[in-house]
Amino acid sequence: MKILEIDYTTKIEFSAPVNDHYFMLRCVPSSRDGQAVISRNLSITPETPLVTSRDIFGNISYQGRIDFPHTEFAFHSTAEVIVDRKKGCRDVCYPLYKYNTPLTAASREMREFLRSLFAGTPLYDDVAEKKLLPVNFPEAAEILRQGIFRLITYTPGSSNVKTTAQEAFSARRGVCQDYSHIFCSLCREAGIPSRYVAGTSKGEGSTHAWSEYFVPENGVIPANGAALQGRWFGVDCTRNKNTDDTYVILSSGRDYLDCKVDGGIFRGAADQKMTIFVKTQEKEIQKNQEQRPVRPVKSLDDHIKDIKLKNQQQQM
């Protein structure tokens, strides 16, 4: 278990005044299994009223409108989060996570690559026929993670938000968004439900993206459209590792578009220059001066209950 502090700033400069600026942000973490928000704050420049809601995927979103001319838009969010996901994240899996989207659709070349990764393993036939048993999902995810990491070269600026999994796979290069799209695509092609995750990880720079695959509690993925109870496990193909307690989720969904951190539309003919800086650091827990006995560490569920009681007005 770790306590992480996040400081996230995005600034957009317009080359000319813009107006009627509608925006939606998913830039603040929410409490979910595996992470509990102790505190969070969001400020917008220029100041404007915000409407807070949860989208269909359970992500917190902030929506607003700036109805006067402005040449700059910025938001600054801070949060303190307890993270403990050693056993994955308990959450529902809906049928939509079993199917690819336009951004994650697999090409023939990708399907051939999928089969080649499992050639010579006991999982080959089940992967090829999408009949892989959930008990084998972690092993399959490990093979996929390592295969994608070996194939794709991390290349900043080689793709954009519209780049599909097929395009990044064909180019053999991309950024974290592309690694995540490719992993989700191949998981779904193998019959493993998966989702795209946007968030932050320990360090400085920008936001990050990774993937999660689902393992049902009863060990069965039914053919019908029933929602399933189980656990999600994080995979960071960009760094060739499984996620740990240094990762904080901002949003999750089928692909990048479901998790877009910031988006909007405005009136005016202007170019945009965006600057992003994110710092995620581990909070040091200092001992008190009297060296009193340390109280037993509460479970994450207990922390969440306490936080909800103390900050009920902040839980959306």
Side-chain angles (χ1 to χ4, degrees):
M1 182 176 72
K2 296 184 183 297
I3 299 178
L4 300 178
E5 296 177 319
I6 303 169
D7 194 302
Y8 178 14
T9 301
T10 290
K11 179 180 178 181
I12 302 175
E13 298 173 273
F14 301 101
S15 60
V18 300
N19 202 353
D20 286 337
H21 183 178
Y22 292 84
F23 61 88
M24 183 172 72
L25 307 174
R26 298 185 187 92
C27 59
V28 177
S30 62
S31 293
R32 56 173 74 197
D33 191 63
Q35 69 179 41
V37 176
I38 300 172
S39 64
R40 62 172 176 249
N41 182 66
L42 174 65
S43 60
I44 304 291
T45 305
E47 290 187 13
T48 188
L50 297 175
V51 176
T52 307
S53 62
R54 284 189 182 270
D55 62 24
I56 191 173
F57 303 100
N59 307 311
I60 289 182
S61 65
Y62 296 88
Q63 302 170 56
R65 178 195 178 198
I66 304 172
D67 59 359
F68 53 85
H70 56 286
T71 57
E72 179 180 307
F73 173 71
F75 61 86
H76 177 221
S77 68
T78 58
E80 190 172 318
V81 186
I82 301 171
V83 184
D84 186 3
R85 53 171 61 94
K86 295 180 181 63
K87 297 181 180 179
C89 300
R90 195 168 51 246
D91 198 1
V92 176
C93 175
Y94 296 102
L96 53 85
Y97 292 117
K98 295 163 57 178
Y99 305 103
N100 276 320
T101 66
L103 277 178
T104 65
S107 63
R108 178 179 177 180
E109 183 185 19
M110 292 172 67
R111 296 188 187 96
E112 292 174 350
F113 173 74
L114 175 65
R115 289 192 290 270
S116 71
L117 285 178
F118 290 90
T121 73
L123 304 180
Y124 177 80
D125 290 337
D126 293 333
V127 168
E129 298 174 11
K130 290 190 179 183
K131 294 182 179 179
L132 194 67
L133 296 176
V135 69
N136 300 125
F137 285 3
E139 180 182 354
E142 180 77 8
I143 293 172
L144 285 173
R145 188 196 80 202
Q146 294 186 19
I148 294 168
F149 177 78
R150 290 192 301 266
L151 182 76
I152 305 300
T153 300
Y154 184 82
T155 312
S158 62
S159 62
N160 57 53
V161 297
K162 296 181 180 180
T163 301
T164 65
Q166 292 184 30
E167 292 168 339
F169 184 91
S170 179
R172 301 290 194 271
R173 61 180 184 268
V175 294
C176 57
Q177 168 191 307
D178 306 300
Y179 284 85
S180 182
H181 279 158
I182 293 171
F183 180 87
C184 287
S185 176
L186 296 180
C187 271
R188 294 164 186 167
E189 284 296 316
I192 305 174
S194 62
R195 65 186 182 187
Y196 181 103
V197 180
T200 73
S201 59
K202 188 176 177 179
E204 298 183 1
S206 187
T207 52
H208 191 41
W210 59 93
S211 315
E212 291 182 330
Y213 67 90
F214 180 76
V215 178
E217 287 181 351
N218 61 5
V220 177
I221 299 289
N224 61 24
L228 300 174
Q229 296 291 335
R231 293 181 182 273
W232 293 90
F233 296 89
V235 175
D236 186 349
C237 291
T238 310
R239 298 169 181 167
N240 196 25
K241 61 180 288 188
N242 295 328
T243 61
D244 53 29
D245 293 349
T246 63
Y247 288 72
V248 176
I249 297 173
L250 296 178
S251 58
S252 60
R254 298 165 300 174
D255 56 27
Y256 164 81
L257 291 177
D258 293 337
C259 305
K260 199 172 182 180
V261 175
D262 60 284
I265 190 170
F266 56 81
R267 294 180 184 274
D271 295 325
Q272 303 176 55
K273 177 184 177 182
M274 179 181 289
T275 305
I276 301 173
F277 181 75
V278 183
K279 182 177 182 180
T280 302
Q281 61 183 354
E282 187 173 350
K283 183 177 180 180
E284 295 183 2
I285 302 176
Q286 299 180 352
K287 296 181 180 179
N288 59 39
Q289 294 179 350
E290 298 179 13
Q291 297 295 316
R292 295 176 181 174
V294 179
R295 296 176 60 189
V297 177
K298 292 183 179 182
S299 70
L300 186 62
D301 288 339
D302 289 336
H303 277 294
I304 293 175
K305 289 178 182 178
D306 289 347
I307 292 164
K308 285 183 177 179
L309 288 175
K310 293 179 182 178
N311 305 303
Q312 187 173 7
Q313 73 278 8
Q314 296 182 9
Q315 300 301 314
M316 276 72 72

